[in-house]
Amino acid sequence: MRIAVCVKSVPDAGSARRIDGGTKRLDRSADGVLNPYDANAIEEALRIQEATGEGEVVLVSLGPEKALDGIRKGLAMGADRVVLVSDDAAAGSDLVATSYALAKALERENADLVLFGQQASDSDGAVLWAAVADRLRRPLISQVAELTVSGSSVTGKRQTENGYDTIQAPLPAVVAVSDAINEPRYPSLKGIMGAKKKPQDIVSLADIGAEAGRAGEAGSKTTVLTLSPPPPRGDSKKIEDDGTAAEQIVAFLEEKKLL
Amino acid sequence: MKTLVFLETVDGKLHAGSLGVLSRAAKLGGEVAGVVIGSGVAGLAEGAGAYGAQVVYVADDARLESALPQPRVDVIAGLVTAQGFDNVLFAQSVLASDLAAGLAARLEAGVNWDLAGVEERGGELIGTRAALGDSVYVEVAWKGTPRIGIVRSGTYAAEETGGSARVENAAIELQDFSTAAVLVSQDRAEQSGPSIEEADIIVAGGRGLGAAEHFKLAEELAEVLGGAVASTRAVVDAGWYPYATQVGQTGKTITPKLYIGLGISGAIQHKVGMQGSGTIVSINKDGHAPIFDYSDLGIVGDLHTIVPKLVELLRARG
Ligand SMILES: Cc1cc2nc3c(=O)[nH]c(=O)nc-3n(C[C@H](O)[C@H](O)[C@H](O)COP(=O)(O)OP(=O)(O)OC[C@H]3O[C@@H](n4cnc5c(N)ncnc54)[C@H](O)[C@@H]3O)c2cc1C
Ligand SMILES: Nc1ncnc2c1ncn2[C@@H]1O[C@H](COP(=O)(O)O)[C@@H](O)[C@H]1O
């Protein structure tokens, strides 16, 4: 069974994230890391591969070449290879353009199962899979907290506003997993060493048969008009615990007359 | 402008969130329609007139019974193409988000999500949203039509203005792949359990507690403070704590005087359910956790050492 996992390189949570006032795009000059939510999707793919004892896990991504540095963590965890769509013409893609380019790359992979993470930590969209599933014309199950693959179908349990739904779909299918589905493994030293040698294909839009005009800013159907800082929240205090945190919380609650 | 609003049905009723978006759409001016999709839902359509819909389209079919997005994409895409809507608006939900994004791909249309407002300006639709974990406010627009928008839940209240709607049937042409996923079973979470909506003090536990049995720590702290225990989706999905205690987008919205978060990262979907709390205190060992961006007092440290001490100190105060 071939499993494609869509992964994204995102700015490290530790770096100060900002949107560039000029391009109105996210400033991606800082080093990227693997979107933490995508580690759950990779972990799930590896578990399915291990359970069946065969198949391939391929990471598929859209981003600048530099994104490979972050995505390599997925190879270190155990994925077999990467396909990164990287093209100047793909920069600034919104959802409709991103889903177009990713679907083109995924069509070439012809995977039985396409997995997504719960959300990209820089967009918080949690929607991309639905656009990709529609382009691939495949059934979709999202927000999956428990997944079973048996024979030619997948079954996912997911939470909605009204409780839990269990949904079944025939393969090939698209599934987006929640971050509660598993505890992602840490890459071993051997995994990290081996990652560099695994196939890492950087492909252009032309390579995947995608029209440049439908990707990137040209293919995007949304625009950002203005940016402004949010209203300030007032005084806030952040302290490192030096052994007196409990005392400081009590003092704070007393000061606020909450006790 | 011609606007279509997706009217989600829950338990045989039109969902209040989508009626709120409909009320807003009615104020944008122009033609406003709603669409109701499901099985046995035709009777609900007329009711939307009172919230500003001039026309309500109905797709009532046994194949549309389960709340799944893909067959709904087929119906709405057909309707938008046939009627030429400029805007298609959704109230955010698990179903509506997948539906809106699928529709965007089908119609090659732009979708803006997490909108905290939409307005009409010179014939254009403008949305406002917070981005990067609410650290910047952005005005967004669309290139071309239809413009698809997902409005953050709780943004607009449903306002009954007392009009009436014409009801029309929508064409139902479903694609094979759209009906391939099927609902096997449904587990309606029980609504009983501790009520976190009334409590003045909430101690919320997240995955940082490490295991179901460590919720005992949250319970002890809540007890000595006279409060109730709440949770995140991650721990509910993991089976550590009941769904009735979940705070956030797919859970409850709470506004206690004091919220103490233990081992919670503070993802945006959790934040939307608790940002109205009076005072927010959080303990997290990761100094970069987003919850610190909106905490009045943030403690970077290990909850397993801090909370037992805190409980002890509070007990000693009596
Ligand atoms: C459509 C959708 C709807 C959603 N609806 C909801 C919702 O209604 N409610 C909700 O809560 N979430 C919801 N989510 C999920 C949300 O995005 C987050 O995944 C979830 O809130 C994370 O829960 P958490 O903070 O418990 O876990 P994590 O994000 O895993 O955070 C755990 C935190 O604990 C800290 N920690 C670990 N050990 C310790 C220790 N010893 N001491 C101190 N700190 C420690 C870690 O640093 C980490 O920050 C939704 C997501 C989507 C996509
Ligand atoms: N540029 C990208 N390349 C590949 N996969 C992506 C990209 N952006 C988002 N994804 C995938 O889509 C999921 C949801 O992203 P989003 O809808 O942007 O929050 C992520 O968890 C990833 O699995």
Side-chain angles (χ1 to χ4, degrees):
Chain A
M1 172 144 139
R2 180 181 284 174
I3 306 174
V5 187
C6 291
V7 300
K8 186 178 191 184
S9 166
V10 297
D12 189 350
S15 66
R17 297 183 304 170
R18 55 178 282 275
I19 296 180
D20 185 292
T23 62
K24 302 212 172 68
R25 292 184 198 156
L26 183 65
D27 178 356
R28 297 189 186 279
S29 55
D31 282 349
V33 296
L34 177 71
N35 173 29
Y37 295 103
D38 294 343
N40 296 100
I42 297 171
E43 176 66 35
E44 202 59 23
L46 294 173
R47 288 185 191 189
I48 296 168
Q49 188 186 37
E50 284 156 8
T52 55
E54 50 102 26
E56 189 191 26
V57 175
V58 49
L59 309 179
V60 178
S61 188
L62 173 74
E65 281 188 28
K66 205 158 56 83
L68 268 186
D69 298 340
I71 292 166
R72 212 167 276 127
K73 181 182 170 191
L75 293 178
M77 285 173 69
D80 298 300
R81 61 187 173 89
V82 177
V83 175
L84 172 68
V85 182
S86 206
D87 199 310
D88 287 344
S93 295
D94 72 352
L95 177 119
V96 73
T98 301
S99 65
Y100 169 72
L102 271 183
K104 281 287 181 197
L106 287 164
E107 271 166 20
R108 284 203 330 166
E109 296 305 325
N110 202 23
D112 304 289
L113 182 62
V114 178
L115 290 180
F116 283 80
Q118 165 181 298
Q119 67 204 86
S121 68
D122 57 354
S123 74
D124 291 323
V127 286
L128 183 61
W129 48 75
V132 172
D134 197 77
R135 291 192 187 280
L136 295 175
R137 303 178 65 80
R138 291 194 178 177
L140 162 73
I141 317 176
S142 69
Q143 318 287 346
V144 170
E146 273 173 45
L147 184 67
T148 37
V149 180
S150 59
S152 58
S153 73
V154 272
T155 305
K157 184 177 171 188
R158 71 194 206 124
Q159 195 193 91
T160 71
E161 292 79 8
N162 315 305
Y164 284 92
D165 286 355
T166 300
I167 298 167
Q168 192 173 58
L171 294 173
V174 175
V175 171
V177 304
S178 98
D179 66 344
I181 195 166
N182 56 38
E183 200 55 62
R185 67 195 66 185
Y186 288 103
S188 64
L189 192 60
K190 191 166 150 252
I192 295 168
M193 301 306 286
K196 288 205 178 72
K197 288 186 221 96
K198 292 182 174 173
Q200 299 162 43
D201 262 350
I202 297 185
V203 297
S204 68
L205 290 171
D207 291 337
I208 57 170
E211 297 163 38
R214 293 181 67 185
E217 213 157 288
S220 293
K221 298 287 170 66
T222 53
T223 56
V224 173
L225 302 176
T226 59
L227 300 171
S228 50
R233 211 197 120 85
D235 292 347
S236 70
K237 239 182 357 191
K238 183 163 135 191
I239 54 174
E240 297 268 349
D241 179 24
D242 58 358
T244 64
E247 283 84 356
Q248 297 198 54
I249 295 171
V250 173
F252 175 83
L253 296 179
E254 276 174 341
E255 181 197 312
K256 294 270 177 191
K257 304 206 164 29
L258 285 162
L259 292 181
Chain B
M1 273 201 314
K2 253 180 106 166
T3 303
L4 179 68
V5 178
F6 171 62
L7 302 174
E8 189 165 344
T9 61
V10 179
D11 294 334
K13 284 204 216 79
L14 296 179
H15 185 248
S18 25
L19 291 176
V21 173
L22 178 61
S23 299
R24 175 63 194 170
K27 289 190 190 143
L28 292 172
E31 272 179 65
V32 181
V35 57
V36 181
I37 305 173
S39 177
V41 294
L44 300 175
E46 225 181 309
Y51 299 88
Q54 293 146 12
V55 189
V56 179
Y57 295 95
V58 177
D60 197 335
D61 189 302
R63 292 171 298 166
L64 296 165
E65 179 169 1
S66 315
L68 296 173
Q70 290 175 301
R72 283 166 174 73
V73 172
D74 295 338
V75 172
I76 298 185
L79 198 56
V80 171
T81 307
Q83 304 292 331
F85 286 102
D86 303 299
N87 311 318
V88 189
L89 299 180
F90 296 84
Q92 185 164 55
S93 75
V94 166
L95 173 67
S97 299
D98 282 355
L99 170 44
L103 187 68
R106 186 76 63 89
L107 298 175
E108 297 292 344
V111 57
N112 280 305
W113 57 84
D114 210 17
L115 297 173
V118 281
E119 59 183 279
E120 190 268 345
R121 228 183 271 164
E124 290 294 317
L125 191 70
I126 308 291
T128 39
R129 57 167 299 207
L132 292 185
D134 289 1
S135 65
V136 288
Y137 275 42
V138 202
E139 265 191 356
V140 292
W142 289 258
K143 288 195 254 175
T145 57
R147 315 174 185 101
I148 302 174
I150 311 175
V151 179
R152 196 183 258 195
S153 43
T155 301
Y156 295 115
E159 287 173 39
E160 225 171 319
T161 49
S164 67
R166 194 172 80 238
V167 177
E168 287 187 21
N169 285 323
I172 304 171
E173 279 167 36
L174 307 182
Q175 312 267 344
D176 284 346
F177 77 91
S178 298
T179 49
V182 293
L183 182 70
V184 186
S185 65
Q186 217 167 11
D187 176 7
R188 287 297 168 111
E190 72 330 322
Q191 290 303 314
S192 61
S195 172
I196 55 167
E197 281 150 312
E198 274 109 64
D200 278 339
I201 296 180
I202 286 289
V203 177
R207 199 152 39 174
L209 282 170
E213 57 270 26
H214 296 152
F215 258 89
K216 186 166 90 266
L217 274 179
E219 284 165 355
E220 280 172 9
L221 181 55
E223 196 197 318
V224 57
L225 287 167
V229 175
S231 67
T232 66
R233 190 183 77 169
V235 302
V236 172
D237 273 354
W240 294 3
Y241 226 58
Y243 174 65
T245 65
Q246 180 180 315
V247 169
Q249 190 177 312
T250 39
K252 296 205 164 92
T253 301
I254 55 166
T255 52
K257 292 199 181 91
L258 172 65
Y259 167 103
I260 304 182
L262 308 178
I264 292 180
S265 60
I268 193 75
Q269 295 90 349
H270 184 72
K271 182 186 177 188
V272 293
M274 49 65 76
Q275 60 192 349
S277 305
T279 299
I280 298 172
V281 176
S282 57
I283 304 176
N284 193 308
K285 67 177 184 191
D286 172 9
H288 299 305
I291 199 163
F292 290 128
D293 296 342
Y294 52 94
S295 296
D296 299 288
L297 175 65
I299 308 285
V300 184
D302 188 341
L303 68 92
H304 293 289
T305 59
I306 298 167
V307 177
K309 242 170 101 183
L310 180 58
V311 170
E312 208 176 290
L313 285 174
L314 290 168
R315 276 209 186 111
R317 277 180 98 255

